[in-house]
Amino acid sequence: MPEAILKIEGLSKSFEGSQVFNDVNFAIPEGELSSIIGPNGAGKTTLFNLITGYHVPDKGKILFRGTNIAGMQPFHIVGLGIARAFQRTNIFPRMTVLENVLTTVISARKGNLSLFAPFRNHDKDHERAYEILENVGLADMASRESGTLAHGNQKRLDIAVALALEPKMLLLDEPTAGMSPEERWHTVELVKGLWEKLKITMLFIEHDMDIVFGISQKVRVLCYKTILAEGTPKEISSNQQVIEAYLGEEV
Ligand SMILES: Nc1ncnc2c1ncn2[C@@H]1O[C@H](COP(=O)(O)OP(=O)(O)OP(=O)(O)O)[C@@H](O)[C@H]1O
Ligand SMILES: [Mg+2]
């Protein structure tokens, strides 16, 4: 069993007296491609916000490669190796596709993640930015203004920007949201292909059970303020508690 890259211990979080998590515990092995599922409002995005430093937990530890990152600043956590693509895309629409990736490559190299780091054209940075665009299938759109891309391609760019941070672990919050069925499967294939090629740990939130069960090595179900179940797609899709609490007639 590979060592855990991320270990969550006794995590609790409330907003204005309303508890989202109570004593959540789980561990993600290095290199895993896994998903988090659960009803609307179960706290999936909140979990990502806690892992990436956008929220501070009330209690508990978030151990990333042994370091407790709970409550650290987001830029610090990015520097340690966790990047995130957002439920809504996070790109600068007036910049070109290449510029969006290049600015992040440059800031990541300088350890200056303000995203407004001085814009200099080093050959190596350029090469790296192109390589990332090739990995996500956007190299031939490098000079396009980002805001003019189709939704599916904006999502690819968002993932490219996250990859430019050179993460060890990538979090994807509903990467296929708002896409046509065809775009969805292209995005799923992209995610799977990136995982196979780059060998980074990936954790994604997704509502489409065909996608979840189709590509996850492991599925964790967030429900009733805790991890209700974790297991392989086969185990989760036949778990009676999960079916009653969440999957219902979907399976
Ligand atoms: N910043 C915040 N302030 C107050 N309440 C919040 C905040 N962020 C999330 N919540 C609440 O926490 C709960 C979990 O929300 P969250 O967005 O994490 O759910 P989710 O599982 O991602 O849902 P969805 O599937 O709809 O994206 C909800 O009740 C939400 O209203
Ligand atoms: Mg959410």
Side-chain angles (χ1 to χ4, degrees):
M1 180 104 172
E3 212 171 308
I5 187 168
L6 188 80
K7 207 166 171 197
I8 308 264
E9 294 181 352
L11 197 68
S12 299
K13 178 71 183 169
S14 301
F15 292 111
E16 290 133 29
S18 155
Q19 195 167 42
V20 184
F21 301 128
N22 181 23
D23 193 23
V24 166
N25 295 282
F26 65 91
I28 296 184
E30 187 106 39
E32 188 179 78
L33 172 59
S34 64
S35 54
I36 302 265
I37 63 171
N40 291 115
K44 303 178 298 295
T45 299
T46 301
L47 180 65
F48 275 18
N49 284 332
L50 289 164
I51 295 171
T52 53
Y54 287 84
H55 291 326
V56 179
D58 302 338
K59 262 203 268 181
K61 286 184 183 169
I62 303 171
L63 299 163
F64 179 66
R65 297 181 141 187
T67 302
N68 187 10
I69 58 169
M72 277 188 187
Q73 291 295 318
F75 75 91
H76 195 170
I77 293 172
V78 168
L80 291 175
I82 302 180
R84 167 182 193 182
F86 285 80
Q87 202 164 357
R88 295 176 55 189
T89 57
N90 189 33
I91 54 179
F92 296 101
R94 303 296 295 274
M95 283 189 183
T96 68
V97 167
L98 179 65
E99 282 164 354
N100 261 294
V101 178
L102 192 53
T103 44
T104 312
V105 167
I106 293 167
S107 350
R109 174 171 55 75
K110 292 191 160 178
N112 172 0
L113 292 167
S114 72
L115 290 181
F116 297 102
F119 196 79
R120 280 245 191 78
N121 241 342
H122 285 266
D123 284 352
K124 268 214 166 127
D125 295 331
H126 225 262
E127 245 170 60
R128 179 67 189 132
Y130 255 106
E131 186 180 35
I132 293 167
L133 287 178
E134 262 160 26
N135 281 338
V136 302
L138 284 180
D140 56 346
M141 296 184 194
S143 56
R144 282 269 297 271
E145 197 175 295
S146 304
T148 68
L149 295 179
H151 178 66
N153 285 332
Q154 294 208 10
K155 192 72 223 178
R156 277 171 192 259
L157 179 53
D158 195 43
I159 293 172
V161 169
L163 290 175
L165 298 165
E166 310 293 350
K168 310 273 185 286
M169 181 167 186
L170 179 63
L171 308 181
L172 301 161
D173 195 345
E174 299 194 32
T176 71
M179 289 183 186
S180 66
E182 199 187 309
E183 266 183 334
R184 291 193 135 198
W185 282 104
H186 283 148
T187 307
V188 171
E189 275 157 26
L190 170 73
V191 168
K192 182 100 196 267
L194 286 172
W195 174 69
E196 280 164 357
K197 182 169 181 191
L198 305 176
K199 313 220 179 302
I200 54 183
T201 310
M202 287 196 190
L203 176 61
F204 68 97
I205 295 169
E206 178 59 60
H207 281 284
D208 185 320
M209 288 307 123
D210 287 338
I211 293 174
V212 167
F213 294 141
I215 67 167
S216 314
Q217 293 187 301
K218 195 151 226 194
V219 182
R220 293 181 184 82
V221 186
L222 201 53
C223 196
Y224 305 138
K225 305 180 188 178
T226 192
I227 299 286
L228 182 67
E230 62 180 304
T232 61
K234 208 169 157 205
E235 287 162 350
I236 292 300
S237 59
S238 60
N239 179 312
Q240 205 50 41
Q241 247 189 323
V242 176
I243 293 171
E244 277 166 26
Y246 175 52
L247 294 177
E249 284 155 17
E250 282 191 64
V251 292

